[in-house]
Amino acid sequence: MTSFLRRRARHLLAPAAGAVYLVLWILAEAGRADLTGHVLVVSALAVAIGLASWMPATALGLVVVVPLLQALHLLARPRDTTWPEYLAIAIVVGVVGAGRSGLLRWLAVPVLGVASVAAAWAMAVPTVADPDVWSNWTASGEGTRGSLVLLSLAVAGASGIAWAVGVAIGAAWRIGLARTRVAVAERETAVTTAELRAEQDRARIARDVHDSLAHSLAVVVSQAQGAAAVAGSDGPTATALRDIADVSRSALGDVRSLVERIQGTGPAAANGLDDLPGLVEDMRELGMRATLEQHGDPVRLGTATGAAVHRIVQESLTNVLKHQGRTAEARVVLDWRGPGLGVVVTSRGDAPLVALDGPGSGVDGMRERARLAGGWLRAGDGDDPDEFVVTGWLPTEAGR
């Protein structure tokens, strides 16, 4: 809110200066005769001041055009009491000098030179119809040429000083604004860094918890299953041991799901195997020759494992699109014939959409997902040119 008010105040400063300029001229010239033509001149110069911040190019044009038209006798020329109207030139170039546009800031320099010469010409060069000029007002004996040079230098000097002051004020304001933004950015960076470190700590703790509990629960499942086999199929002891194995197996799946949520991957059940045909179809719509094959009879997967398979296939197809192109060939195979689920994504293509500028983190992310689900993943070049193969294995609930 404060920044908004500052911007509004900065933009309203020039119109306020234009209004003050017009009011002061009216008060100074009130009661004088034959000022009708000067009202148009001063009004145009007041408009130029008011537009200096909003429309600087228009304002610069006005402070050149008005004195030129006066020099050409197309507008009322200044009188002995109205010549301070050219203070508008200095005000306009000062405001433009403080502005953001570097081009207009430097364009104001030749503009003030032309405007100063035109203003001096309008004040110093007499005509037959209007011989009342600067030398008559001041009783100066320098002549027209001397008055012209003197007035040109005076107006240009005053305007140049105003321009330099405006440039200095604008530079100081921009430096202050830059420092404020840098300070805000540093604070935001510090907050983001702290959040990132906390996230990394949570992920590390989650992995440690998973590694510890998963190992312990896996041992419990194995021992309970073995003891149940020794105890036989009947009796309370065998039933209790089977219950222990089932509860431990369910807890192991819950631990893996919890670890994935802690690591910021979202709810584990967001996507699963049912979404794989849609992923492949999306690639086909982009022009890729993508296929999905399944071998063997599908069995039930835990929610965390199903989400891991979905993410692995999704990341693999995304990498194919980025690094092998829309015309690549991709083959996704799910093999249910072993003790777990085998996932193979084979791709061929040589028209990458983006240049490979490093190893990236996609494969590492897939490998970590497979590890959290209790499996493994490998990725690398295949036997054929431009071939890339991702191979993974994840346990099923029946194989645990």
Side-chain angles (χ1 to χ4, degrees):
M1 185 68 179
T2 302
S3 178
F4 172 77
L5 291 176
R6 287 178 179 175
R7 288 195 300 269
R8 298 295 296 178
R10 181 168 56 87
H11 285 302
L12 291 175
L13 183 60
V20 170
Y21 168 88
L22 182 60
V23 169
L24 289 178
W25 186 88
I26 292 174
L27 293 176
E29 299 298 318
R32 298 183 185 273
D34 195 22
L35 294 176
T36 304
H38 288 285
V39 173
L40 178 61
V41 172
V42 175
S43 299
L45 293 175
V47 169
I49 295 173
L51 295 178
S53 180
W54 294 81
M55 303 172 65
T58 303
L60 291 175
L62 283 174
V63 296
V64 170
V65 170
V66 171
L68 283 176
L69 293 178
Q70 288 179 296
L72 295 174
H73 303 277
L74 297 177
L75 286 177
R77 298 175 70 186
R79 296 290 182 233
D80 55 344
T81 60
T82 62
W83 62 268
E85 65 196 22
Y86 291 131
L87 181 63
I89 300 174
I91 297 174
V92 169
V93 296
V95 174
V96 174
R100 297 180 180 178
S101 174
L103 176 61
L104 290 175
R105 187 181 309 127
W106 291 104
L107 181 62
V109 176
V111 165
L112 72 86
V114 174
S116 299
V117 173
W121 188 284
M123 285 191 290
V125 178
T127 63
V128 175
D130 189 6
D132 190 21
V133 291
W134 180 264
S135 57
N136 295 331
W137 307 336
T138 60
S140 172
E142 295 181 358
T144 300
R145 181 177 300 178
S147 297
L148 180 62
V149 172
L150 175 63
L151 292 173
S152 297
L153 293 176
V155 177
S159 301
I161 292 172
W163 175 82
V165 171
V167 169
I169 293 174
W173 182 84
R174 285 186 290 272
I175 291 173
L177 181 61
R179 288 175 177 171
T180 301
R181 290 177 176 174
V182 168
V184 172
E186 288 177 347
R187 288 196 297 269
E188 292 177 351
T189 300
V191 172
T192 303
T193 301
E195 291 177 350
L196 178 60
R197 288 175 179 170
E199 184 67 27
Q200 291 173 340
D201 290 340
R202 286 194 294 268
R204 184 176 64 254
I205 293 171
R207 287 194 297 268
D208 293 341
V209 170
H210 170 268
D211 291 342
S212 177
L213 288 181
H215 175 74
S216 300
L217 290 172
V219 171
V220 171
V221 171
S222 177
Q223 294 291 340
Q225 288 178 334
V230 173
S233 58
D234 297 326
T237 302
T239 301
L241 290 171
R242 284 194 294 270
D243 290 342
I244 291 173
D246 291 340
V247 172
S248 300
R249 190 180 299 111
S250 176
L252 182 59
D254 291 340
V255 167
R256 286 168 178 161
S257 300
L258 179 61
V259 167
E260 185 165 342
R261 289 196 295 274
I262 291 175
Q263 289 182 322
T265 56
N271 298 102
L273 295 180
D274 294 339
D275 300 299
L276 295 185
L279 291 177
V280 175
E281 183 62 29
D282 290 341
M283 295 298 108
R284 289 200 197 101
E285 291 180 358
L286 294 174
M288 186 184 299
R289 299 186 300 277
T291 58
L292 173 63
E293 302 176 13
Q294 297 197 57
H295 302 289
D297 297 326
V299 298
R300 187 172 180 270
L301 291 179
T303 54
T305 304
V309 173
H310 176 272
R311 295 299 186 188
I312 288 170
V313 174
Q314 182 184 47
E315 182 65 26
S316 298
L317 293 176
T318 301
N319 287 339
V320 173
L321 180 64
K322 291 193 298 184
H323 304 307
Q324 294 178 304
R326 294 188 301 105
T327 59
E329 179 182 351
R331 180 173 175 238
V332 180
V333 178
L334 303 181
D335 193 341
W336 302 92
R337 294 174 293 188
L341 171 60
V343 181
V344 180
V345 181
T346 306
S347 57
R348 296 180 182 85
D350 59 356
L353 295 181
V354 296
L356 185 63
D357 56 357
S361 59
V363 173
D364 290 340
M366 291 189 293
R367 189 178 294 115
E368 180 68 9
R369 288 184 182 278
R371 189 188 72 81
L372 289 175
W376 53 264
L377 183 138
R378 297 184 182 91
D381 295 332
D383 297 331
D384 297 334
D386 302 318
E387 183 182 52
F388 194 82
V389 181
V390 176
T391 305
W393 180 88
L394 297 98
T396 60
E397 292 193 354
R400 288 178 175 160

